[in-house]
Amino acid sequence: MAGSALRRLMAEYKQLTLNPPEGIIAGPVNEENFFEWEALITGPEGTCFEGGVFPAKLVFPPDYPLSPPKMQFTCEMFHPNIYSDGRVCISILHAPGDDPMGYESSAERWSPVQSVEKILLSVVSMLAEPNDESGANVDAAKMWRENRDEFNKIAQRIVRRTLGIPN
Amino acid sequence: MRSIGISLLSFMLTTVVIANAYYQKKQFYPSVVYITKSNPSMAVIYIQAFVVILMFGKLMNRIFFGQLRTAEFEHLMERAWYAVTETCLAFTVFRDDFNPKFVALFTLLLFLKSFHWLAEDRVDYMERSPVISLLFHLRVLSLLTVLGALDMYFVQHAYLSTITKGASVQLVFGFEYAILATMVVNVAIKYALHTVDLNSEMPWENKAVFLLYTELIMGFIKVILYVLFVIIMVRIYTLPLFAFRPMYYTIRNFKKAFNDVILSRRAIHNMNTLYPDATAEELQNADNVCIICREEMVTASKKLPCNHIFHTACLRSWFQRQQTCPTCRLNILQTNIPTAAPRREERPRVPPQPPNPFAAPNLFANPNLFGRNDNANPFAGMNPFQQILNPNEQNQNAANQAPGQAPGPSAPTGGDQNNAQSGSTSNTQTTPNNTIPPMFPPFPPFPFMPFMIPPPLPPEHLRRLTEDELKRLEGQERENVEARIQCLRNIQIMLDTAILMMQQYSAAASFSTITSQVPPPDRSSAASAEAASRETNAPDTNSASDPGDAAPTTSSNANDPQFSATSSADPENNNVEMSTSASPEGPPEDEVRKRRLQHFQRQLEQQQ
Ligand SMILES: [Zn+2]
Ligand SMILES: [Zn+2]
């Protein structure tokens, strides 16, 4: 019998392929290692990220689902809750007690109830509604608050870039 | 490509150096002497040796590991970097012994170390890969054998050298190889456990426990080795700075393993003693999937005080991380009071435990004290509210049930034993109010009313009691005072649990299919305080709020005494279900977060 983390990841992968949520594709990079996934997230409609397809990678710990995975966008991103190297900073990816930003209630935190699908949906909603209290990218948070037009412009440029369209 | 170029260059240089030496000296020994005397030649020879070692490493790597994964390579590089730094530090301690042989030995040590690390990573990888080939087993087994044999050889060599020639740099080598040997043993045990697990049909639940103890014992051995090494080094040479970083990590890992074992033991203990096994019926109702592993629950499962059901094994590993319910985040360790209820369900015939603080005021267990109160439950009709609000005897009978059943949920069949016990539970709330003089104002603002602990129950007919009886009631004996303090503590715990429960509500609300927001704890407690005051103002609804009836129908969590307690706190709104507890006007919440949550919910709905 394979490890419990592996079995759960396989179950989630199966679930995601059978019943994919809209605008999200995710799966292991290769079928020999289920602990590294690639995901493609489409920007939510009606937001400045609309139309973009954003690649990201998820790395799962050996004790998944007891500990949360790490998620990192592999394309350029400009967003208050995404570090400039692409790492995503949202509460669902942190266990209670591990609080880099100090603003989240424990209700939204990681627990085995969460799943890859919920993480990706949270990321989609994060793209739609940035939380500018979290300072993963301070510049982006500031711009989001104070100069929304400029922010939208940068977002649109990133969207075009992910689609391979020159600026 | 570049590495091939460097190798070729190095080979060419070596050839030139050797050819030059031979050309000048014509004979073997003089040429060797010539080369060793000439610094540039020696430099070339050293580089050549380094290249040869690297090539040999690559060959070994191909044989034992095949292609390295990116993560493995990064891990290796990181550790190698530290190891090189530490080796340089070690050179400073042994600068007197510094010679080519010394450098060669350290290089060899580094070389073997990296193979140990890779072996460790590889064996950890076993848990992650769905396919483990025969080649994998062959490689790991042969690698472990070779590494183990080499480690033992070097340890022995160092030991003999130290015995015969006295302390030297061999001390460091002996120690380093001893550490590596423990690593080989550790990896071998892990490998064996993984292999057994892979070959078994059923999930092997105890594997985690074995791994934990392996980690603990190996950590302990390593810590001892490090401490011994530092002591010896300090006595013979100086403080071995180069050993401090690995020593620090070893001690930290050992501490972590130790904590893990303790937490694990506590989790196992709690699970075995506090939480009942889930019945087949309960499994059916809970759609039968364990939320932790997403597999069906056919094997042993446990039910937490909050009624959530999980695999015993899954729960155990989770409790090593956090002592909360994975679904609703109810803090398990702080929920000892409510867990008394399921325990009672398990063995309803067992009388209260001797150290039960509630039993302390024996005074109250004596029904004769209260004149006409010959009821089995000595506290019947002692609710001050009933006494005040419902002076007529009829209401009293219905109300008598209330304090008895509120803490004992889902036990409507509770026999005399049960009744007596829950009676003594409500006793806790009685005690602090014993001291209330008979002339106390009729509507005391009981601070704990919002949380609907069974209402405080001073004896019904204080006025009729004699002076003497009142004195006994108030109690000056030590046990009475103790009981009172205990009781105050219990109230504090209940307040804590009530707050937790509110958090649990909001947690549950954000997880399940709820469409509106849940008020934060303080707000909803204020709401139930309102409800409580309504209760006091409306005597008719008071007796109607029989928690015994209300609780089982309200929520799936009715078995939790807290839940039934809260539901009874709100007589006009019997369905205090998690979803309906959301108040329409909502708390003054951060607008952004609210919208985020709604967006998330929309997504969830669409997907359903
Ligand atoms: Zn499970
Ligand atoms: Zn729960």
Side-chain angles (χ1 to χ4, degrees):
Chain A
M1 203 75 179
S4 55
L6 179 62
R7 274 180 290 140
R8 159 133 177 188
L9 282 170
M10 287 163 115
E12 283 197 46
Y13 179 45
K14 197 174 151 202
Q15 180 63 29
L16 274 173
T17 36
L18 289 179
N19 215 341
E22 211 183 303
I24 291 172
I25 303 171
V29 177
N30 69 60
E31 306 253 321
E32 278 192 12
N33 182 5
F34 267 81
F35 286 69
E36 277 173 44
W37 286 33
E38 271 169 344
L40 287 176
I41 296 170
T42 45
E45 280 172 36
T47 70
C48 54
F49 292 101
E50 179 172 357
V53 179
F54 306 103
K57 79 173 183 218
L58 287 132
V59 179
F60 296 89
D63 60 351
Y64 183 81
L66 305 179
S67 302
K70 291 189 174 68
M71 184 170 174
Q72 185 173 22
F73 278 99
T74 50
C75 63
E76 186 199 347
M77 278 307 243
F78 187 74
H79 187 284
N81 309 117
I82 302 175
Y83 288 99
S84 47
D85 63 356
R87 277 179 300 132
V88 179
C89 180
I90 50 174
S91 53
I92 197 175
L93 290 176
H94 296 293
D98 148 38
D99 194 350
M101 294 304 159
Y103 68 98
E104 317 276 11
S105 76
S106 79
E108 301 162 327
R109 294 313 191 80
W110 177 259
S111 108
V113 173
Q114 314 286 18
S115 60
V116 177
E117 187 176 345
K118 282 189 188 162
I119 290 172
L120 294 176
L121 287 175
S122 301
V123 168
V124 169
S125 84
M126 173 201 78
L127 289 179
E129 301 279 358
N131 179 349
D132 57 4
E133 291 164 50
S134 147
N137 185 338
V138 183
D139 293 339
K142 195 158 175 270
M143 195 180 285
W144 167 263
R145 259 198 313 269
E146 293 165 9
N147 192 349
R148 192 64 61 87
D149 290 341
E150 185 65 27
F151 185 91
N152 291 348
K153 246 182 236 164
I154 293 181
Q156 279 305 309
R157 204 179 67 221
I158 288 169
V159 165
R160 279 198 300 276
R161 222 171 264 175
T162 65
L163 299 174
I165 304 166
N167 296 315
Chain B
M1 271 290 107
R2 204 177 50 184
S3 57
I4 293 177
I6 292 173
S7 312
L8 280 179
L9 188 73
S10 138
F11 269 119
M12 272 161 58
L13 278 174
T14 316
T15 318
V16 168
V17 164
I18 293 175
N20 175 44
Y22 197 71
Y23 177 77
Q24 293 204 358
K25 299 291 169 185
K26 307 285 189 229
Q27 275 175 330
F28 180 71
Y29 283 108
S31 327
V32 172
V33 172
Y34 173 77
I35 290 175
T36 49
K37 285 281 173 350
S38 143
N39 274 342
S41 309
M42 272 324 278
V44 170
I45 297 292
Y46 281 140
I47 291 173
Q48 178 60 52
F50 187 66
V51 168
V52 167
I53 286 175
L54 276 187
M55 285 173 68
F56 182 69
K58 284 208 164 162
L59 179 71
M60 288 295 119
N61 183 26
R62 268 295 137 95
I63 293 174
F64 288 119
F65 298 107
Q67 191 71 40
L68 284 189
R69 288 178 301 120
T70 330
E72 280 174 338
F73 186 72
E74 282 168 5
H75 202 184
L76 178 67
M77 282 300 128
E78 190 190 336
R79 291 170 114 173
W81 172 247
Y82 281 117
V84 168
T85 330
E86 278 150 17
T87 309
C88 292
L89 266 175
F91 284 161
T92 62
V93 177
F94 297 99
R95 48 192 175 273
D96 299 342
D97 298 307
F98 196 83
N99 60 41
K101 190 190 164 206
F102 178 74
V103 177
L105 281 175
F106 262 107
T107 317
L108 182 66
L109 175 66
L110 251 170
F111 187 73
L112 284 174
K113 264 189 185 172
S114 51
F115 274 84
H116 283 82
W117 298 329
L118 285 174
E120 196 179 28
D121 277 356
R122 255 314 139 88
V123 169
D124 284 342
Y125 180 68
M126 280 178 84
E127 266 198 311
R128 304 181 169 218
S129 178
V131 274
I132 298 294
S133 61
L134 192 67
L135 182 64
F136 182 97
H137 289 289
L138 213 65
R139 275 175 164 163
V140 170
L141 279 176
S142 52
L143 180 68
L144 286 178
T145 318
V146 170
L147 289 181
L150 282 174
D151 291 342
M152 289 326 289
Y153 169 77
F154 281 113
V155 169
Q156 199 189 10
H157 176 74
Y159 178 74
L160 289 178
S161 158
T162 312
I163 291 290
T164 50
K165 296 178 200 159
S168 69
V169 72
Q170 281 297 331
L171 213 60
V172 180
F173 287 117
F175 159 76
E176 289 277 7
Y177 282 111
I179 291 279
L180 288 181
T182 61
M183 201 161 154
V184 168
V185 174
N186 196 355
V187 171
I189 293 175
K190 274 192 197 166
Y191 169 76
L193 290 173
H194 290 327
T195 310
V196 171
D197 187 29
L198 279 172
N199 291 330
S200 70
E201 288 297 310
M202 290 293 292
W204 183 21
E205 291 174 2
N206 283 329
K207 183 178 144 192
V209 180
F210 281 118
L211 281 175
L212 216 57
Y213 278 98
T214 311
E215 202 74 19
L216 183 75
I217 293 166
M218 285 304 159
F220 184 63
I221 294 175
K222 274 190 185 177
V223 167
I224 287 184
L225 279 174
Y226 270 111
V227 169
L228 277 180
F229 175 67
V230 169
I231 291 173
I232 294 173
M233 282 299 285
V234 166
R235 296 190 73 163
I236 297 176
Y237 293 94
T238 172
L239 212 57
L241 282 177
F242 58 91
F244 274 25
R245 194 194 62 93
M247 186 164 106
Y248 168 72
Y249 282 106
T250 307
I251 291 177
R252 205 178 63 170
N253 286 345
F254 174 66
K255 212 176 132 212
K256 191 179 162 294
F258 188 70
N259 279 339
D260 280 354
V261 166
I262 289 190
L263 285 176
S264 162
R265 288 186 69 93
R266 192 192 295 167
I268 293 170
H269 174 81
N270 278 3
M271 227 141 36
N272 292 342
T273 54
L274 296 182
Y275 314 126
D277 287 323
T279 62
E281 196 182 329
E282 283 166 341
L283 286 179
Q284 284 291 312
N285 293 340
D287 71 7
N288 212 3
V289 171
C290 167
I291 201 75
I292 299 179
C293 63
R294 305 286 153 99
E295 282 171 40
E296 277 201 11
M297 290 188 279
V298 279
T299 48
S301 320
K302 287 277 181 186
K303 191 174 80 173
L304 293 184
C306 52
N307 270 13
H308 293 119
I309 301 175
F310 309 92
H311 282 129
T312 311
C314 295
L315 207 51
R316 190 169 59 204
S317 46
W318 171 246
F319 279 164
Q320 284 172 34
R321 305 306 161 96
Q322 285 178 38
Q323 286 72 49
T324 57
C325 168
T327 307
C328 65
R329 295 176 205 271
L330 176 78
N331 191 324
I332 302 300
L333 294 184
Q334 287 180 21
T335 323
N336 283 332
I337 292 286
T339 51
R343 211 181 330 177
R344 192 166 23 183
E345 277 172 25
E346 269 180 345
R347 29 197 172 103
R349 292 291 144 205
V350 177
Q353 303 290 314
N356 187 350
F358 308 154
N362 291 328
L363 202 56
F364 283 87
N366 179 7
N368 295 331
L369 189 64
F370 307 112
R372 57 194 191 95
N373 226 338
D374 45 10
N375 195 314
N377 182 351
F379 307 96
M382 290 193 300
N383 187 332
F385 293 105
Q386 275 132 33
Q387 194 203 352
I388 293 151
L389 302 169
N390 313 325
N392 44 345
E393 297 280 325
Q394 286 136 346
N395 277 344
Q396 256 179 23
N397 254 348
N400 280 349
Q401 300 293 335
Q405 287 196 351
S410 80
T413 57
D416 284 357
Q417 193 103 42
N418 240 348
N419 246 347
Q421 201 176 4
S422 36
S424 62
T425 312
S426 46
N427 188 5
T428 43
Q429 281 74 49
T430 320
T431 351
N433 288 288
N434 293 338
T435 50
I436 296 172
M439 295 314 290
F440 200 82
F443 293 109
F446 289 106
F448 32 82
M449 261 325 276
F451 304 102
M452 211 45 204
I453 295 161
L457 311 166
E460 189 188 1
H461 305 294
L462 281 178
R463 281 160 196 273
R464 288 191 211 162
L465 296 175
T466 66
E467 219 32 39
D468 196 33
E469 279 170 337
L470 269 178
K471 263 189 193 146
R472 278 165 63 202
L473 199 62
E474 189 188 15
Q476 280 154 357
E477 301 94 293
R478 182 194 167 86
E479 57 175 0
N480 281 9
V481 176
E482 275 174 354
R484 207 168 295 151
I485 291 168
Q486 180 62 42
C487 163
L488 287 171
R489 282 194 190 130
N490 286 339
I491 288 173
Q492 193 184 8
I493 291 171
M494 286 184 133
L495 286 174
D496 288 347
T497 50
I499 289 165
L500 274 173
M501 191 178 59
M502 290 307 167
Q503 284 167 357
Q504 173 186 335
Y505 271 141
S506 47
S510 60
F511 287 136
S512 53
T513 62
I514 298 147
T515 46
S516 53
Q517 300 253 330
V518 176
D522 45 337
R523 197 184 165 84
S524 49
S525 60
S528 46
E530 257 174 49
S533 63
R534 257 184 282 135
E535 187 182 10
T536 48
N537 290 336
D540 289 340
T541 53
N542 178 29
S543 55
S545 75
D546 184 355
D549 278 349
T553 53
T554 45
S555 66
S556 58
N557 291 305
N559 279 352
D560 183 351
Q562 286 177 28
F563 269 91
S564 50
T566 338
S567 51
S568 64
D570 203 345
E572 278 147 327
N573 183 12
N574 264 352
N575 45 353
V576 196
E577 222 165 340
M578 293 191 290
S579 50
T580 49
S581 70
S583 71
E585 67 267 33
E589 259 229 52
D590 179 5
E591 193 61 24
V592 173
R593 256 163 92 186
K594 202 159 118 191
R595 289 218 305 277
R596 244 171 98 193
L597 183 63
Q598 278 165 358
H599 185 90
F600 180 52
Q601 281 156 359
R602 269 206 307 281
Q603 291 279 352
L604 277 174
E605 276 161 22
Q606 274 172 17
Q607 155 213 356
Q608 282 159 6

